[in-house]
Amino acid sequence: MKIPKKIGVLTSGGDAPGMNAAIRAVVRSCTYYNLECVGVYRGLQGLIEGDFEDLNARSVKNIINRGGTFLKSARSKDFLTFEGRKKAFNNLQNENIDALVVIGGDGTFAGASVFIKEFNFPIVGIPGTIDNDINGTDYTIGYDTALNTAVEAIDKIRDTANSHNRLFLVEVMGRDAGDIALNAGIAAGAEEILIPEQNLGRERLLESLSRSKKSGKTSSIVVVCEGDQIGKNIFGLAEYIEENLKEYEVRVTVLGHIQRGGSPSCYDRVLASRLGVGAVDALLRGETNIMIGIVHNRVTSVPFSEAIKGSNEIDEELIRVADIISI
Amino acid sequence: MKIPKKIGVLTSGGDAPGMNAAIRAVVRSCTYYNLECVGVYRGLQGLIEGDFEDLNARSVKNIINRGGTFLKSARSKDFLTFEGRKKAFNNLQNENIDALVVIGGDGTFAGASVFIKEFNFPIVGIPGTIDNDINGTDYTIGYDTALNTAVEAIDKIRDTANSHNRLFLVEVMGRDAGDIALNAGIAAGAEEILIPEQNLGRERLLESLSRSKKSGKTSSIVVVCEGDQIGKNIFGLAEYIEENLKEYEVRVTVLGHIQRGGSPSCYDRVLASRLGVGAVDALLRGETNIMIGIVHNRVTSVPFSEAIKGSNEIDEELIRVADIISI
Amino acid sequence: MKIPKKIGVLTSGGDAPGMNAAIRAVVRSCTYYNLECVGVYRGLQGLIEGDFEDLNARSVKNIINRGGTFLKSARSKDFLTFEGRKKAFNNLQNENIDALVVIGGDGTFAGASVFIKEFNFPIVGIPGTIDNDINGTDYTIGYDTALNTAVEAIDKIRDTANSHNRLFLVEVMGRDAGDIALNAGIAAGAEEILIPEQNLGRERLLESLSRSKKSGKTSSIVVVCEGDQIGKNIFGLAEYIEENLKEYEVRVTVLGHIQRGGSPSCYDRVLASRLGVGAVDALLRGETNIMIGIVHNRVTSVPFSEAIKGSNEIDEELIRVADIISI
Amino acid sequence: MKIPKKIGVLTSGGDAPGMNAAIRAVVRSCTYYNLECVGVYRGLQGLIEGDFEDLNARSVKNIINRGGTFLKSARSKDFLTFEGRKKAFNNLQNENIDALVVIGGDGTFAGASVFIKEFNFPIVGIPGTIDNDINGTDYTIGYDTALNTAVEAIDKIRDTANSHNRLFLVEVMGRDAGDIALNAGIAAGAEEILIPEQNLGRERLLESLSRSKKSGKTSSIVVVCEGDQIGKNIFGLAEYIEENLKEYEVRVTVLGHIQRGGSPSCYDRVLASRLGVGAVDALLRGETNIMIGIVHNRVTSVPFSEAIKGSNEIDEELIRVADIISI
């Protein structure tokens, strides 16, 4: 495999804070190694449409602290077709781009994997998603920031919950994985946390709220993962609780997209910088079809096929901690 | 009218950041003037239930920076009855409380006004509500903080809106008054702002969004006041826009109760401190049935009857500024 | 006086959060009125060096939330000479720039005033400085943000002060004016505030600290304005207190330049937007040699000669409030 | 070894954000296991003075989000003497306290270790210090928050650095360890980072700054660890640079104690909760003379003798990343 001289970089799938820091690290690694670097706008779709821009060390100044991704992101239906991918490959050829760094989640890696097989084109991935649902890395870029955003928001809600002796149901992101809910719930001092990996059931929730009321709590926060079965109808859950626990006024807050934005935390910026450097290093070593991740605080790699398996084992220790400290 | 020796203080209605700072200023003014001070828990309801606690300068340490109200707040149906108010009066008599400072909004002041007439009991009010909908004061306590909270949240949403070329409808608080929407909308760089005082209509909104798309904008934020007619069904509005403006993906975020919480801004803390001192000063001057407010940066007062008239004149200059800078 | 067709805009003097929002409003007002707009880099020095760039509505997207000024600022010695100013005038002529909006403080306005007289060139000013030391406006752009930054920093310091029963001297900005110290001091719950307008003297400070210790306070914050006489040697002051009040450990923190940066508050963004629109409006009305300000929440104007007189009357009411609530 | 029935908890040494969350977890674990819990004020000194308070699950409500430590901390000279420690032991006996959880750094653990040997009293430690300089744990409580605080402050400084084309030297905490400097420096996009583990020398710094100026950078941030040799005289360093690099204006900011305060990050709150639960678990298993830490995201333990060895191996990968991304 020949060593790349011109590397493309793109962000794909849902955006996450720290993606800009990762792009910056990829671009500056290229400068460091005297490689050319090309930014691809709007993810895999931009690859198909040839939406390219040359990037140098100065192109990425003053972006490390910015949320979102300046290369923009998009979901691409065209990339699901061979025709679309063929166009993408032709565009890369025409631009003399030798290798790609793709920053995104499992959908992005799955698409990249197909592309690599079809065109024997070197691609390395970086996990960028607030959901932390990628196998082969302890953390994904954006997850730590999303946690802090969620916790700061719930802190504000607790102010008003306390003032009015109210119960708040707060929905946080996480389609399949309860990591955000579990960690933000512990950190925000939630009385209960509903996650898809664990099926509490409405009755147990009622019992628990009832017990905590009796123990002297005058207000409560229940953090609900959007992917949780009973949480999916969070307004219905609120009604159910109000009907069955007369003493509580219940309010619902859906945190929503504020969890995707904001200036990245120190951790996410450092992680993104390390993985960006690691991705270019890997391409220079001739590696492909892998994702660069962080395991036990060391930069490492894992085949795309492993990364997209997801990681939905539940952390029993955290659940136990949540139970104990919400007593 | 005799000069009070023991003053009660309570917070009532929706909580607002800065209420703790106002309580603190009332308590410490009492210490300054060698008056006793009693905190009443849970607003007018606590008055009826005799939920009192003696407060001194040390009771209110380290609360100036905390959101919510440590005296808690509640809506009181009992206070709407003469029987309830009579109980409240008896409790005040039994505790030798000579005068009250009530921190809240128009509902609180209306209740206080009735009570004053019935029992000739001195009460001075302080405007504490995030809605800024009180007549006779340029600012209410909590409004500045709520604006900053809303703007910070919309900044985060813009990060993800930009990354995905999406249109976001963001609902902010304000049942009757569009002040939060108008100011937060200008500050967050919203393309359109929907407020109850102005009736844009769906068609004009479509036209405007369509025009701004053509002018090169790839993402947009529309700030919607919860009290606005077409905003009241914000999810319906989103569907309507998606149907009629094919090129946009539309997302909805309801900021909700996070706007009520959080550490108060410098402005709110200083305002609360000034009004708290001003309220005790007024009681010592023998004043009653008035609200202490801030007009042209001077502490002033206005009869309760004036304060509760509301202030829903629309600020035409701000609307013009919003139009020009969203071009 | 002919109506301008091409307007230049620059930022000068110390930077302040909200300057970007003001530039944005000037640029978009020009678009609104079909005027051309030119950005001048590095303030008055850029005028002399012809460091210009055409700006349009899209040039200023996504900057309303950014601290600093993208046009950069600088102090210009050359502008103090006629030769320098002549060069500046020639550059403006060559670019067909008809009028200028200058965003800065009293030094900027003084320079502009001389220039207007010499070349009969229309200039309107906007007050942008964190010091709030300009006459003819209740607020300058950046002041509200700087206050919030200072208060948030002191809140953090109080956490550690409380944990260790320590006394902290915290220096905030303000060369001649104690506004930041007085307001941030009240808001942060400081025990004492040292400002240049008031000369407390070391002895009175000692007495007060000693008294507050006896009243049960175990930790204290003293906010010191950098321009205050005894504050100018803040480390010497710390030693003096440690020598004379054995029971206290004293620590010093100089907040410094963090007070100049950060995302502007809602208030500063709205203020900057209003004044930016107001400045272009004024130029179109044929006005010159004036500063656009905000008085009693209305956009207004004042001759440069008035604006630069400074406003160092001390606010006696605020000092009284500070005394009472730190009891 | 008998199983404890009454556990004391204290915080000692420099305070760190998240200490309150750790106390809360210890207290609630006690409730969970039906043990009594006693808070000891002012660390080891409070042990000697018998400054105790019974704590239950409700005593620690609404503190998880607060910086500092409500049990306060202090350095204790008396604890260095056998007489002092004997008094402490007697107080524990008199209160029927069977075991202790001490939250602090290496000094605290060293003191605890001596105490254990002398009195055969069970003690388990939790690492609480912003310095992250404890062996046997990947993270100490407070470190992540301190990093975020430092980065947010440097972000603000960059706003003004960019606006004025200035060089800023920013001093961050870390007496012996450069972890804060290295991570905050990477995250804040610093051009250079001076840490004690690496001895750059003034000349290399000058060269590097000179080179980065030539590469087109108009402003720069140099992050300096307080423990670094050439950083120890940071104002002297500023003069040296100004003399040798004429083109730069240099400014100094010492972040200081703001790095110790502030609401803890999500990570620190979760870590503190896990370690607090883990400490009580360990005491119930009969363990003593150990510190509970986190290694590879698992709660684990290490003898105090290991913990206090410090961890000043330098992370070569991070230094390389810092070099590459500041290109």
Side-chain angles (χ1 to χ4, degrees):
Chain A
M1 183 181 259
K2 69 168 194 174
I3 289 168
K5 292 191 174 158
K6 194 171 187 179
I7 289 177
V9 57
L10 60 82
T11 50
S12 174
D15 64 309
M19 280 185 160
N20 278 326
I23 299 167
R24 175 178 179 270
V26 169
V27 173
R28 295 201 167 170
S29 292
C30 287
T31 306
Y32 181 80
Y33 288 121
N34 284 313
L35 310 173
E36 288 181 86
C37 190
V38 174
V40 182
Y41 283 90
R42 292 176 302 116
L44 301 172
Q45 188 62 28
L47 215 51
I48 295 169
E49 299 179 14
D51 199 355
F52 298 153
E53 186 177 48
D54 290 342
L55 299 177
N56 62 47
R58 293 287 75 70
S59 318
V60 290
K61 72 177 180 183
N62 296 329
I63 65 166
I64 196 170
N65 59 333
R66 297 215 183 122
T69 159
F70 86 97
L71 288 179
K72 295 178 189 284
S73 186
R75 287 174 218 285
S76 169
K77 284 184 187 162
D78 297 343
F79 203 82
L80 298 176
T81 68
F82 177 76
E83 205 186 343
R85 294 192 296 271
K86 179 70 185 158
K87 264 196 199 168
F89 179 66
N90 291 342
N91 288 332
L92 289 167
Q93 294 276 83
N94 292 340
E95 283 286 323
N96 295 316
I97 298 173
D98 302 307
L100 270 180
V101 176
V102 298
I103 306 165
D106 46 10
T108 307
F109 300 157
S113 213
V114 170
F115 191 81
I116 292 164
K117 272 174 225 154
E118 287 174 343
F119 303 103
N120 191 28
F121 191 90
I123 306 184
V124 163
I126 294 176
T129 160
I130 64 167
D131 289 336
N132 207 33
D133 57 354
I134 304 291
N135 205 29
T137 190
D138 290 344
Y139 294 97
T140 56
I141 297 169
Y143 173 62
D144 185 63
T145 305
L147 284 179
N148 281 322
T149 302
V151 169
E152 282 165 27
I154 305 175
D155 281 353
K156 290 190 210 294
I157 291 168
R158 187 173 287 286
D159 286 341
T160 186
N162 280 340
S163 300
H164 285 281
N165 295 348
R166 274 178 184 157
L167 171 65
F168 272 84
L169 306 181
V170 183
E171 185 186 297
V172 299
M173 283 191 165
R175 268 166 307 172
D176 309 302
D179 294 53
I180 293 180
L182 188 52
N183 282 275
I186 288 174
E191 275 67 30
E192 285 293 336
I193 303 167
L194 304 184
I195 54 176
E197 292 90 342
Q198 210 192 15
N199 239 313
L200 269 191
R202 291 174 160 204
E203 294 72 24
R204 244 223 50 186
L205 179 63
L206 271 196
E207 272 170 48
S208 159
L209 291 172
S210 181
R211 207 168 42 236
S212 92
K213 183 86 180 183
K214 276 173 204 147
S215 85
K217 293 205 179 182
T218 52
S219 63
S220 287
I221 303 281
V222 176
V223 170
V224 184
C225 175
E226 66 173 323
D228 183 73
Q229 274 310 319
I230 64 169
K232 266 174 188 161
N233 178 9
I234 196 167
F235 292 95
L237 179 62
E239 275 177 43
Y240 173 78
I241 296 171
E242 281 205 334
E243 275 163 26
N244 288 279
L245 280 182
K246 303 289 179 201
E247 60 263 58
Y248 267 124
E249 266 188 286
V250 187
R251 292 285 183 279
V252 170
T253 297
V254 177
L255 291 188
H257 281 81
I258 60 167
Q259 294 165 89
R260 292 209 171 278
S263 185
S265 69
C266 181
Y267 186 85
D268 274 332
R269 299 186 197 185
V270 173
L271 175 63
S273 300
R274 295 171 75 181
L275 299 187
V277 170
V280 175
D281 283 344
L283 285 173
L284 288 177
R285 285 193 306 266
E287 295 183 44
T288 181
N289 213 355
I290 56 156
M291 179 193 79
I292 301 298
I294 193 107
V295 175
H296 297 166
N297 201 27
R298 292 287 148 212
V299 175
T300 182
S301 70
V302 68
F304 276 145
S305 53
E306 286 296 311
I308 61 186
K309 279 186 182 161
S311 74
N312 45 15
E313 26 157 357
I314 191 157
D315 189 329
E316 296 292 347
E317 181 232 336
L318 273 190
I319 289 179
R320 184 172 168 267
V321 167
D323 281 347
I324 293 176
I325 64 166
S326 63
I327 211 161
Chain B
M1 182 182 262
K2 68 167 192 172
I3 289 169
K5 291 189 174 160
K6 193 172 188 175
I7 289 177
V9 57
L10 61 81
T11 50
S12 175
D15 64 310
M19 281 184 160
N20 279 326
I23 298 166
R24 176 178 179 268
V26 169
V27 173
R28 294 201 168 170
S29 293
C30 287
T31 306
Y32 181 80
Y33 288 121
N34 285 313
L35 310 173
E36 287 180 87
C37 189
V38 174
V40 181
Y41 282 89
R42 292 177 300 119
L44 302 172
Q45 188 62 27
L47 217 49
I48 295 170
E49 299 179 14
D51 198 354
F52 299 153
E53 186 177 47
D54 290 343
L55 300 176
N56 62 46
R58 292 288 74 72
S59 321
V60 290
K61 72 176 180 185
N62 296 329
I63 65 165
I64 196 170
N65 59 334
R66 299 217 181 120
T69 158
F70 86 97
L71 288 179
K72 297 178 185 283
S73 185
R75 288 173 218 286
S76 169
K77 283 185 186 161
D78 296 344
F79 204 83
L80 298 176
T81 68
F82 178 76
E83 205 186 344
R85 294 191 297 271
K86 179 69 185 159
K87 264 197 198 167
F89 179 67
N90 290 343
N91 288 333
L92 290 166
Q93 295 276 83
N94 292 341
E95 284 286 322
N96 294 315
I97 298 172
D98 302 307
L100 270 180
V101 176
V102 297
I103 306 165
D106 47 11
T108 308
F109 300 157
S113 214
V114 170
F115 191 82
I116 292 164
K117 271 174 222 151
E118 287 174 343
F119 303 102
N120 191 27
F121 191 89
I123 306 184
V124 163
I126 294 175
T129 160
I130 64 166
D131 288 336
N132 207 32
D133 58 353
I134 304 291
N135 207 29
T137 190
D138 291 343
Y139 294 98
T140 56
I141 297 168
Y143 172 62
D144 185 62
T145 305
L147 284 179
N148 282 322
T149 302
V151 169
E152 282 164 28
I154 305 174
D155 282 352
K156 289 191 211 292
I157 291 169
R158 187 174 288 285
D159 285 341
T160 187
N162 281 339
S163 299
H164 286 281
N165 295 347
R166 276 177 182 156
L167 171 66
F168 271 84
L169 307 181
V170 184
E171 184 184 299
V172 300
M173 282 191 164
R175 266 166 309 173
D176 310 302
D179 293 52
I180 292 180
L182 189 51
N183 282 276
I186 288 174
E191 276 67 29
E192 285 292 337
I193 303 167
L194 305 184
I195 55 176
E197 294 90 342
Q198 210 192 13
N199 238 315
L200 269 191
R202 291 172 160 207
E203 293 73 22
R204 243 223 51 188
L205 178 63
L206 271 197
E207 272 171 47
S208 160
L209 290 173
S210 181
R211 207 166 45 236
S212 92
K213 183 86 179 180
K214 276 174 204 146
S215 86
K217 292 205 180 183
T218 52
S219 64
S220 286
I221 303 281
V222 176
V223 170
V224 184
C225 175
E226 66 173 319
D228 183 73
Q229 274 310 319
I230 63 167
K232 266 173 189 162
N233 177 10
I234 195 167
F235 292 94
L237 179 61
E239 276 177 41
Y240 173 78
I241 296 171
E242 280 205 335
E243 275 163 26
N244 288 279
L245 280 182
K246 303 289 179 199
E247 62 262 56
Y248 267 124
E249 266 188 286
V250 187
R251 292 286 181 279
V252 171
T253 297
V254 176
L255 291 188
H257 281 81
I258 61 166
Q259 295 164 89
R260 291 209 171 279
S263 185
S265 69
C266 182
Y267 186 85
D268 273 332
R269 298 187 197 184
V270 173
L271 175 64
S273 299
R274 295 170 75 181
L275 299 187
V277 170
V280 175
D281 283 344
L283 285 172
L284 288 177
R285 285 193 307 265
E287 295 182 45
T288 180
N289 214 356
I290 55 157
M291 180 194 78
I292 301 297
I294 193 105
V295 175
H296 297 165
N297 201 25
R298 291 287 147 214
V299 175
T300 181
S301 69
V302 67
F304 276 145
S305 54
E306 285 296 311
I308 62 185
K309 278 184 183 164
S311 72
N312 45 14
E313 27 158 354
I314 192 158
D315 189 328
E316 296 292 348
E317 180 232 338
L318 272 190
I319 289 178
R320 184 172 168 268
V321 167
D323 282 347
I324 292 176
I325 64 164
S326 63
I327 212 162
Chain C
M1 181 181 264
K2 69 166 191 173
I3 289 168
K5 291 190 175 159
K6 193 171 187 177
I7 289 177
V9 58
L10 61 81
T11 51
S12 174
D15 65 309
M19 280 184 161
N20 279 326
I23 298 166
R24 176 179 178 268
V26 169
V27 173
R28 295 202 167 170
S29 292
C30 287
T31 306
Y32 181 80
Y33 288 122
N34 285 313
L35 309 173
E36 287 181 85
C37 189
V38 174
V40 182
Y41 282 89
R42 291 177 301 119
L44 301 172
Q45 188 62 27
L47 217 49
I48 295 169
E49 299 179 15
D51 198 354
F52 298 153
E53 186 177 48
D54 290 341
L55 299 176
N56 61 46
R58 291 289 73 73
S59 321
V60 291
K61 71 177 180 182
N62 296 329
I63 65 165
I64 196 170
N65 58 334
R66 299 218 181 120
T69 158
F70 85 97
L71 288 179
K72 297 177 185 283
S73 185
R75 287 173 218 286
S76 170
K77 283 185 186 161
D78 297 343
F79 203 82
L80 298 177
T81 68
F82 178 76
E83 204 186 343
R85 293 191 297 271
K86 179 68 184 158
K87 264 196 199 168
F89 179 66
N90 291 343
N91 288 333
L92 290 167
Q93 295 275 84
N94 292 341
E95 284 285 321
N96 295 316
I97 298 172
D98 301 307
L100 270 180
V101 176
V102 297
I103 305 165
D106 47 11
T108 307
F109 300 157
S113 213
V114 171
F115 191 81
I116 293 164
K117 271 175 223 151
E118 287 174 343
F119 303 102
N120 191 28
F121 191 90
I123 306 184
V124 164
I126 294 176
T129 159
I130 64 166
D131 289 336
N132 208 32
D133 59 353
I134 304 292
N135 206 29
T137 190
D138 291 344
Y139 294 98
T140 56
I141 297 168
Y143 173 61
D144 185 62
T145 305
L147 284 178
N148 281 323
T149 302
V151 168
E152 282 164 28
I154 305 174
D155 281 352
K156 289 191 211 292
I157 291 168
R158 187 173 288 285
D159 285 340
T160 187
N162 280 340
S163 299
H164 286 281
N165 295 346
R166 275 178 183 155
L167 171 66
F168 272 83
L169 306 180
V170 183
E171 184 185 298
V172 299
M173 282 191 164
R175 266 166 308 172
D176 310 301
D179 294 52
I180 292 180
L182 189 51
N183 282 275
I186 289 174
E191 275 67 28
E192 284 293 337
I193 302 167
L194 305 184
I195 54 176
E197 294 90 341
Q198 210 192 12
N199 238 316
L200 269 190
R202 291 173 159 206
E203 294 72 24
R204 243 223 51 187
L205 178 63
L206 271 196
E207 273 171 48
S208 160
L209 290 173
S210 181
R211 207 166 44 236
S212 93
K213 183 87 180 181
K214 276 173 204 147
S215 85
K217 292 204 181 185
T218 52
S219 64
S220 286
I221 303 281
V222 176
V223 170
V224 184
C225 175
E226 66 173 320
D228 183 73
Q229 273 310 319
I230 62 168
K232 266 173 189 162
N233 177 11
I234 194 167
F235 292 94
L237 178 61
E239 276 177 41
Y240 173 79
I241 295 171
E242 281 206 334
E243 276 163 25
N244 288 278
L245 280 181
K246 303 288 179 199
E247 61 263 58
Y248 267 124
E249 265 188 287
V250 187
R251 292 286 182 279
V252 170
T253 297
V254 177
L255 291 188
H257 280 81
I258 60 166
Q259 295 165 89
R260 292 209 169 278
S263 184
S265 69
C266 182
Y267 186 85
D268 274 331
R269 299 187 197 184
V270 173
L271 176 64
S273 300
R274 295 170 75 181
L275 298 186
V277 170
V280 175
D281 283 344
L283 285 172
L284 288 177
R285 284 192 309 264
E287 296 183 45
T288 180
N289 214 354
I290 56 157
M291 180 194 77
I292 301 297
I294 192 105
V295 175
H296 296 165
N297 201 25
R298 292 286 149 216
V299 175
T300 181
S301 69
V302 67
F304 276 144
S305 54
E306 285 297 311
I308 62 185
K309 279 183 183 165
S311 72
N312 45 13
E313 27 157 356
I314 192 158
D315 189 328
E316 296 292 348
E317 180 232 338
L318 272 190
I319 288 179
R320 184 172 168 269
V321 167
D323 281 347
I324 292 175
I325 63 164
S326 62
I327 211 161
Chain D
M1 185 183 258
K2 68 168 192 173
I3 290 169
K5 292 191 174 157
K6 193 172 187 177
I7 291 177
V9 58
L10 60 81
T11 50
S12 175
D15 64 310
M19 280 184 160
N20 279 325
I23 300 166
R24 176 179 179 268
V26 169
V27 173
R28 294 201 168 172
S29 292
C30 288
T31 306
Y32 181 80
Y33 288 120
N34 285 312
L35 310 173
E36 287 181 86
C37 189
V38 174
V40 182
Y41 282 90
R42 292 178 299 117
L44 301 172
Q45 189 61 28
L47 217 49
I48 295 169
E49 300 179 15
D51 199 355
F52 298 153
E53 186 177 48
D54 290 342
L55 299 176
N56 61 48
R58 293 287 74 71
S59 318
V60 291
K61 71 176 181 183
N62 296 328
I63 66 165
I64 196 170
N65 59 333
R66 298 216 183 122
T69 157
F70 86 97
L71 287 179
K72 296 176 187 286
S73 185
R75 287 174 218 285
S76 170
K77 283 185 187 163
D78 297 345
F79 203 82
L80 299 176
T81 67
F82 177 77
E83 204 186 345
R85 294 192 297 270
K86 179 70 186 158
K87 263 196 200 168
F89 179 67
N90 291 342
N91 288 331
L92 289 166
Q93 296 275 83
N94 291 341
E95 283 287 323
N96 294 315
I97 298 173
D98 303 307
L100 270 179
V101 177
V102 298
I103 306 165
D106 46 11
T108 307
F109 300 156
S113 213
V114 171
F115 191 81
I116 293 164
K117 272 173 223 153
E118 289 173 342
F119 303 102
N120 191 28
F121 192 90
I123 306 185
V124 164
I126 293 176
T129 161
I130 64 167
D131 289 335
N132 207 33
D133 58 354
I134 304 292
N135 205 28
T137 190
D138 291 344
Y139 294 98
T140 57
I141 297 169
Y143 173 62
D144 185 63
T145 305
L147 284 179
N148 281 323
T149 302
V151 169
E152 282 165 27
I154 305 174
D155 281 353
K156 291 190 209 294
I157 291 168
R158 188 173 287 285
D159 285 341
T160 187
N162 280 341
S163 300
H164 285 281
N165 295 347
R166 275 179 184 155
L167 171 66
F168 272 83
L169 306 181
V170 184
E171 184 185 298
V172 299
M173 283 191 165
R175 267 165 308 172
D176 310 301
D179 295 52
I180 293 180
L182 189 52
N183 282 275
I186 288 175
E191 276 66 30
E192 285 292 337
I193 302 167
L194 305 184
I195 55 175
E197 293 90 341
Q198 210 192 13
N199 239 315
L200 268 191
R202 291 174 160 205
E203 294 72 23
R204 242 223 53 185
L205 179 63
L206 270 197
E207 272 171 47
S208 159
L209 290 173
S210 183
R211 208 168 42 237
S212 92
K213 183 87 179 182
K214 276 173 204 147
S215 84
K217 293 206 179 183
T218 52
S219 64
S220 286
I221 303 281
V222 176
V223 170
V224 184
C225 175
E226 66 173 323
D228 182 74
Q229 275 309 320
I230 64 169
K232 265 174 188 162
N233 178 10
I234 195 167
F235 292 94
L237 179 62
E239 276 178 41
Y240 173 78
I241 296 171
E242 281 206 333
E243 275 163 25
N244 288 278
L245 280 182
K246 303 289 180 200
E247 61 263 58
Y248 267 123
E249 266 188 285
V250 187
R251 292 287 182 279
V252 171
T253 297
V254 177
L255 291 189
H257 280 82
I258 61 166
Q259 293 165 90
R260 291 208 171 281
S263 185
S265 69
C266 181
Y267 186 85
D268 274 332
R269 298 186 198 185
V270 174
L271 175 64
S273 299
R274 295 171 75 182
L275 299 187
V277 170
V280 175
D281 283 344
L283 286 172
L284 288 177
R285 285 193 304 266
E287 295 182 44
T288 180
N289 214 355
I290 57 157
M291 179 194 78
I292 301 296
I294 193 107
V295 174
H296 297 166
N297 202 26
R298 291 288 148 212
V299 175
T300 181
S301 70
V302 67
F304 276 145
S305 53
E306 285 296 310
I308 61 185
K309 279 186 182 164
S311 73
N312 44 15
E313 26 157 356
I314 192 158
D315 190 329
E316 296 292 347
E317 181 232 335
L318 272 190
I319 288 179
R320 183 171 168 269
V321 167
D323 282 347
I324 293 176
I325 64 166
S326 63
I327 211 161

